Amino acid sequence: MKRTRMAERGQRSLTLTAYAVTILFTVFSLIPALWMVSSAFKSDKDIDAYPPKWIPQIPQSIRVTLDYSGLGPMEQADYEKDAMEAIWFPWMKNIRENIGEVRITGIRDGKRIFQAFTESSSFRAGQPSIVPSTLFTSQLMDRKLPMIRDKKLSKFTWYGDGGSDVSNGKGVAKSELSSRFAEFYGSSEIIQGKVAAIEEKQAWTRMFDSFISVNKIATNAAGPLGFTKYFINSAIVTLSSVAIQLLLGGLAGYTLAHLISNKKWQFFWIMFFLATIMIPDISLLLPLYLLMKDLHLVNTLWAIILPHSAWGIVIFLFKGFFDQISKELLQAARVDGASEFRTFLQIVVPLSVPIFAAVSVLTFIPVWNEFVWPLVVNNLPQYWTFTVALNDLQNQSNVQQNMIMASSFISMIPLLVIFVFAQKYIEKGVAFSGVKG
C-alpha cells in the first residue's frame, strides 16, 4: 500500500519563501567580497568604469622595437638610458591603463643590440621615486638611472655586435594603447631611437602583479620580507593570544566550575569577570599604554599580545561548558590519584574540543582584525600588524585600488580557513554540548 504524506496547508509556500530569502541574503552578502576579489585583478580604470565591470581584463604586454640605424656612435650606457626613457615615461603617461609589462628591443642595421624589460609590479614600486610626475626630461633620467639599477626595477640585456638578425617589425598595432605609446615616441625629442614596431599581447602571468606590487612597496619600511613581514606579525600576535586565552581561560573556567565549592565566592568571581565585559575598550587605551611603557614593551609584539591574555567572556564560556561535564568522572580521576592539572589535561580538554574551537575562533577574529591598539602601541613599521600596514598602504601615492583590494583579500584568507575547518566544532561549542552528569 502506497504511503501518503500529510503536510500542512501552506507548508510548501513557506519552505520556498525561506529558501528564496536565504539565497537572496547570501547573494547580497557576497557581493562586496566578490567585488573585492575581482578588483584585485583589475586596473584603476576598470575599477572606476561605469557600468561596473565584474570580469578582470588580462593585462597587456607592450613590445616596442626601436631602430637606431643611421644615428651616430652611442655607448652602451646611452642605449640603456634611452630604453629606460622609452619604458618609464610613456608608462607614466598611461598609468591608469591595464599594462602588465613593457619590453623594448633595440636594433641597429638589422641586428638586435639590446633588450629591456620592466614588469608592472616593479613599475608600481618605483614610480614615486623614478617618475613622480609627467614632467619628462633627459636630465631626469640621468639622475634616476642609477636608482633603477640599484633597485633592479628594470632588466637591461646588452648584445652589442653579437646580437641576432631581426626584422623591423610589423608597424604599430591597431589599438588605443599602442597608438598612445606611438604618439608619445613621435612627439618626444628625448628618445633617440625611431619606432619600428609596437606589438601588443596579452600577459596572463601579470594577472597577479597587484599582489607582488604590495610586497615590493612594503620593502622600504618592513625590510626584505616586505608585506609578508606584517602578515607574520599578525600571525604571531593572533596565535599567541589564542594560546594564552585557551590556557588561562580554560583553567579559570575549570576552577569556577569544579574547584570553588562556595556558591557565594563562585557567584562573586563570575560577576567580576562579566563586569569586565562592560568596560569600553577605548577607555583602556591610555592606562594600557602607560602600563606597557613602564614595562618597556612599547614597540614590541608583546605589547599587543598581553592585553589579550584574559577576557571575561572567554572564562564565562568555559565555565558554562565545564558545568556539564560529569562530576563523577572527575571524582573517579581524583580517586585514582590524578592531580587537578592532569585531570584537566587528560579528561576535561578531550571532552571539551567544541568549546576550545569556539573560543579559538572568537579570539582569532577580533585579534586578527584589531587596528586601534596595535596602531597606538607600535610606531615602528617592523612591528606593525596587517591591519596597521593596510591603513598605511592606503596613504601612499603609488598605491592603486587593486593593490588595496589584493591586500584585503589576503587578510581574509586566514579567517576563511578557520571557518571552513572549525565550523562543526563552533556549532557544538555554541550549543554547549558535552558529557552530561
Side-chain angles (χ1 to χ4, degrees):
M1 182 177 178
K2 187 177 180 180
R3 294 183 178 180
T4 58
R5 196 174 175 187
M6 299 181 63
E8 295 183 7
R9 180 177 295 180
Q11 183 177 355
R12 179 173 296 180
S13 299
L14 180 63
T15 302
L16 292 176
T17 302
Y19 276 110
V21 171
T22 302
I23 292 173
L24 285 175
F25 179 79
T26 303
V27 169
F28 283 115
S29 299
L30 288 176
I31 285 177
L34 294 176
W35 178 257
M36 178 189 67
V37 175
S38 173
S39 299
F41 300 94
K42 294 189 293 190
S43 64
D44 268 12
K45 184 177 180 180
D46 289 339
I47 293 176
D48 296 334
Y50 184 83
K53 296 181 179 180
W54 282 91
I55 301 177
Q57 301 294 318
I58 301 172
Q60 298 300 308
S61 173
I62 308 297
R63 306 185 178 191
V64 183
T65 302
L66 297 178
D67 191 355
Y68 295 87
S69 302
L71 298 179
M74 295 175 62
E75 299 293 333
Q76 177 181 339
D78 297 327
Y79 287 111
E80 184 179 5
K81 174 186 172 183
D82 205 51
M84 295 303 106
E85 292 171 342
I87 291 175
W88 289 83
F89 291 170
W91 198 335
M92 181 61 191
K93 288 279 289 186
N94 299 276
I95 192 171
R96 287 176 55 84
E97 300 294 333
N98 194 15
I99 302 174
E101 61 183 29
V102 176
R103 297 177 181 269
I104 305 293
T105 301
I107 62 175
R108 190 175 186 120
D109 300 330
K111 287 186 175 294
R112 179 187 292 135
I113 55 177
F114 72 81
Q115 199 161 36
F117 165 73
T118 303
E119 58 189 20
S120 60
S121 60
S122 296
F123 176 81
R124 302 298 178 189
Q127 177 263 318
S129 54
I130 306 301
V131 279
S133 67
T134 54
L135 181 61
F136 309 128
T137 63
S138 181
Q139 292 74 20
L140 173 66
M141 188 52 66
D142 286 332
R143 298 194 305 269
K144 302 301 182 179
L145 187 57
M147 191 180 302
I148 294 175
R149 292 170 180 163
D150 293 340
K151 295 184 177 181
K152 299 180 180 179
L153 299 174
S154 297
K155 298 178 182 178
F156 181 82
T157 305
W158 174 251
Y159 300 107
D161 296 333
S164 59
D165 295 334
V166 293
S167 62
N168 289 339
K170 302 178 181 179
V172 178
K174 295 181 179 179
S175 71
E176 182 180 355
L177 187 56
S178 296
S179 299
R180 290 182 184 177
F181 269 70
E183 182 182 354
F184 178 86
Y185 295 138
S187 60
S188 175
E189 298 180 356
I190 301 174
I191 300 170
Q192 300 184 46
K194 296 181 180 179
V195 177
I198 299 180
E199 300 178 66
E200 193 171 333
K201 296 184 178 181
Q202 293 181 336
W204 288 89
T205 56
R206 305 271 77 88
M207 286 287 291
F208 300 92
D209 268 18
S210 57
F211 296 87
I212 303 174
S213 301
V214 169
N215 203 52
K216 288 185 176 180
I217 290 173
T219 54
N220 292 332
L225 290 177
F227 219 76
T228 309
K229 175 67 174 177
Y230 305 134
F231 194 92
I232 294 174
N233 287 345
S234 287
I236 293 173
V237 169
T238 305
L239 295 178
S240 299
S241 299
V242 170
I244 295 174
Q245 288 278 12
L246 295 181
L247 178 62
L248 298 183
L251 291 174
Y254 176 71
T255 301
L256 288 174
H258 296 285
L259 299 184
I260 298 180
S261 57
N262 188 305
K263 296 298 182 182
K264 292 183 178 180
W265 271 109
Q266 189 182 67
F267 179 78
F268 170 79
W269 285 113
I270 292 174
M271 290 298 101
F272 171 79
F273 290 126
L274 288 178
T276 60
I277 304 173
M278 296 184 291
I279 303 175
D281 291 339
I282 195 69
S283 65
L284 298 176
L285 282 180
L286 182 57
L288 279 176
Y289 179 82
L290 295 176
L291 176 61
M292 295 302 157
K293 185 178 179 181
D294 291 340
L295 294 174
H296 304 288
L297 293 177
V298 173
N299 290 324
T300 66
L301 294 182
W302 279 112
I304 310 176
I305 296 171
L306 289 180
H308 302 306
S309 58
W311 292 348
I313 185 63
V314 168
I315 298 173
F316 179 74
L317 290 175
F318 272 120
K319 191 266 180 187
F321 192 96
F322 294 157
D323 278 338
Q324 301 178 73
I325 296 179
S326 172
K327 296 183 182 297
E328 289 78 8
L329 185 62
L330 302 180
Q331 188 62 33
R334 297 186 185 106
V335 170
D336 289 339
S339 63
E340 292 297 339
F341 190 70
R342 184 179 179 184
T343 301
F344 175 77
L345 289 180
Q346 296 187 354
I347 296 179
V348 176
V349 172
L351 294 175
S352 307
V353 172
I355 190 61
F356 277 94
V359 168
S360 297
V361 175
L362 293 175
T363 305
F364 189 99
I365 294 173
V367 175
W368 180 267
N369 292 327
E370 189 178 31
F371 169 69
V372 176
W373 175 242
L375 177 66
V376 169
V377 80
N378 280 329
N379 54 30
L380 296 180
Q382 59 265 36
Y383 297 113
W384 283 350
T385 57
F386 204 93
T387 51
V388 178
L390 183 58
N391 175 72
D392 179 73
L393 188 71
Q394 299 178 41
N395 298 324
Q396 298 189 31
S397 59
N398 60 326
V399 173
Q400 293 189 315
Q401 298 176 68
N402 60 353
M403 301 181 200
I404 298 174
M405 298 295 183
S407 56
S408 300
F409 173 65
I410 294 173
S411 68
M412 282 180 53
I413 294 177
L415 302 177
L416 294 175
V417 172
I418 289 293
F419 272 114
V420 168
F421 288 98
Q423 181 179 1
K424 62 178 181 179
Y425 297 112
I426 296 172
E427 293 173 355
K428 292 180 181 178
V430 173
F432 293 109
S433 64
V435 179
K436 304 249 176 143

